[in-house]
Amino acid sequence: MDTNHSRRQLAAMKQSLFDQGLLDEQFIQLEELQDDANPNFVEEIVTLHYRDSSRLISSIEQALKERNLDFNKLDTLMHQFKGSSSSIGAKKVKAECNLFREYCRAGNAEGCMRSFQQLKKEHAALRKKLEAYFQVSRV
Amino acid sequence: MGIAAEAPFHVLAVDDSLIDRMLIERLLKTSSFHVTAVDSGSKALKLLGLVEDEQINEEPPSIALEAHQDVEVNLIITDYCMPEMTGYDLLRKIKESRSLKDIPVVIMSSENVPSRINRCLEDGADEFFLKPVQLSDVNKLRPHLLKSKVKDEEDQQIHDKGINETEVIAPDKTIPKNIVTKNG
């Protein structure tokens, strides 16, 4: 088991996520809260985030199917989604959330739908990359 | 002989987001605080021993009943945006309570709205943190807790002094103003 190799690989993966603008400083803050007593804190909180955010995505999806969009409800759901994303340092996802909320406030249904599609893509992409990251961290 | 170890400060954290509760709990524990995390303002009030009138009888709610506070809480940190009872509502209820008003309250919010921040600070919040909350924010809590502790000790001294002095009961049996009673 070459732990040096996996440690380097891990560092490279993390750097890449930062370079691509997918993660921000908050992710580092989470890592700093991890210690011997709480060795899996980052993975635990990220896992919880994906459980939470998946639920919110479903709710938003449902809300977007309504004939007359309830922009207040959508904004509230997205506020929660943004908060959760922000807490794990999901930089790009957070930016998409802001865009969505701007469309909500403008009452722009088409804009909401478009930005939501983009948001789901970013959300799924980061999830995949973080799963790979944690997989390597467990080696 | 050693100095008796002081119990860690007890912080009550209030946030409807599971992620944020997990995060604030970790931040506070890292800073050696004892933490209780709840997901709503009403649960926070229940824990603090403050029961709303309306929960007990059918009459319209007026003043919250001041029940005995079973749990000692040294600081309350609450999210602003919560359904039903916002962090601001919670702040107001705490500051209006005779038994709880001296507990420092800190508000957290993901939104940087100056009018909101000012209103909270003007109405009694000791700090306002923007989310995501950092360790450097949590480090700002200790001075508020220590200041509150000093005030508690001063109040206790005044209280003890009042007991030791001869009580002067006015003809109508009211307690003179110079005796300060604390918390029943």
Side-chain angles (χ1 to χ4, degrees):
Chain A
M1 204 184 304
D2 187 4
T3 47
N4 272 335
H5 172 75
S6 54
R7 226 177 274 158
R8 269 181 283 132
Q9 194 186 356
L10 205 65
M13 285 171 94
K14 188 163 63 174
Q15 191 55 51
S16 167
L17 289 166
F18 275 87
D19 292 342
Q20 291 173 70
L22 298 177
L23 287 180
D24 64 29
E25 172 64 25
Q26 178 62 13
F27 193 82
I28 308 287
Q29 292 283 325
L30 294 181
E31 289 187 319
E32 285 176 2
L33 291 172
Q34 197 158 272
D35 57 21
D36 292 335
N38 301 271
N40 303 307
F41 176 70
V42 186
E43 189 174 354
E44 281 165 13
I45 201 169
V46 168
T47 302
L48 261 178
H49 162 71
Y50 281 110
R51 200 196 305 165
D52 206 34
S53 58
S54 298
R55 181 184 51 84
L56 285 164
I57 284 179
S58 296
S59 300
I60 295 168
E61 210 127 48
Q62 275 305 110
L64 284 170
K65 287 197 178 121
E66 287 168 20
R67 180 130 18 114
N68 293 315
L69 292 191
D70 182 346
F71 289 108
N72 275 330
K73 179 161 76 172
L74 285 166
D75 190 56
T76 301
L77 288 169
M78 191 49 71
H79 169 82
Q80 290 175 49
F81 189 97
K82 180 193 158 182
S84 188
S85 304
S86 169
S87 292
I88 66 150
K91 188 175 181 180
K92 214 167 195 192
V93 172
K94 189 164 91 163
E96 291 299 336
C97 293
N98 284 332
L99 195 56
F100 183 95
R101 292 184 82 192
E102 274 173 40
Y103 285 126
C104 275
R105 283 161 197 178
N108 184 340
E110 231 237 78
C112 283
M113 310 244 199
R114 257 185 299 122
S115 82
F116 186 60
Q117 292 312 312
Q118 188 57 29
L119 193 147
K120 279 194 290 182
K121 271 198 205 138
E122 296 291 347
H123 177 261
L126 180 61
R127 182 177 195 162
K128 223 168 162 194
K129 293 191 161 113
L130 285 174
E131 274 166 11
Y133 178 81
F134 289 122
Q135 201 148 27
V136 174
S137 77
R138 274 178 245 133
V139 169
Chain B
M1 291 290 127
I3 300 163
E6 285 186 21
F9 287 120
H10 181 205
V11 178
L12 174 61
V14 192
D15 200 318
D16 61 321
S17 157
L18 179 58
I19 308 297
D20 288 346
R21 273 201 307 284
M22 190 173 167
L23 184 54
I24 196 71
E25 201 166 331
R26 189 84 277 279
L27 282 164
L28 291 166
K29 282 182 176 165
T30 294
S31 307
S32 306
F33 294 115
H34 171 52
V35 188
T36 301
V38 297
D39 65 7
S40 72
S42 46
K43 287 204 184 127
L45 291 175
K46 206 184 258 183
L47 190 131
L48 292 162
L50 207 65
V51 181
E52 298 256 46
D53 228 352
E54 63 186 86
Q55 288 179 316
I56 302 177
N57 44 35
E58 268 101 48
E59 283 161 32
S62 46
I63 318 154
L65 264 185
E66 309 257 353
H68 175 68
Q69 192 183 327
D70 296 315
V71 178
E72 196 191 337
V73 168
N74 305 117
L75 185 137
I76 298 158
I77 183 163
T78 177
D79 186 26
Y80 184 93
C81 286
M82 296 188 292
E84 286 162 31
M85 194 188 298
T86 66
Y88 179 76
D89 298 330
L90 180 59
L91 167 71
R92 293 303 305 269
K93 289 201 201 295
I94 290 164
K95 292 302 163 187
E96 282 160 15
S97 152
R98 211 178 351 107
S99 56
L100 304 176
K101 65 180 172 60
D102 292 329
I103 302 177
V105 179
V106 171
I107 313 260
M108 309 177 276
S109 177
S110 54
E111 320 226 87
N112 190 350
V113 181
S115 57
R116 173 187 295 182
I117 298 172
N118 287 329
R119 189 170 63 138
C120 289
L121 294 172
E122 277 164 22
D123 288 355
D126 289 83
E127 291 274 0
F128 192 105
F129 295 158
L130 282 175
K131 284 180 161 186
V133 177
Q134 316 277 287
L135 212 47
S136 54
D137 294 316
V138 174
N139 289 337
K140 293 180 196 163
L141 296 178
R142 213 160 271 274
H144 295 292
L145 286 156
L146 291 169
K147 188 177 61 176
S148 176
K149 188 168 190 268
V150 169
K151 187 178 186 308
D152 278 355
E153 282 165 5
E154 284 174 355
D155 285 351
Q156 192 62 44
Q157 282 171 21
I158 293 168
H159 173 69
D160 292 345
K161 193 161 184 275
I163 289 174
N164 291 334
E165 284 175 354
T166 313
E167 279 186 11
V168 177
I169 312 285
D172 61 343
K173 302 246 188 283
T174 52
I175 298 171
K177 277 185 225 143
N178 66 336
I179 294 177
V180 176
T181 56
K182 186 180 184 299
N183 224 19

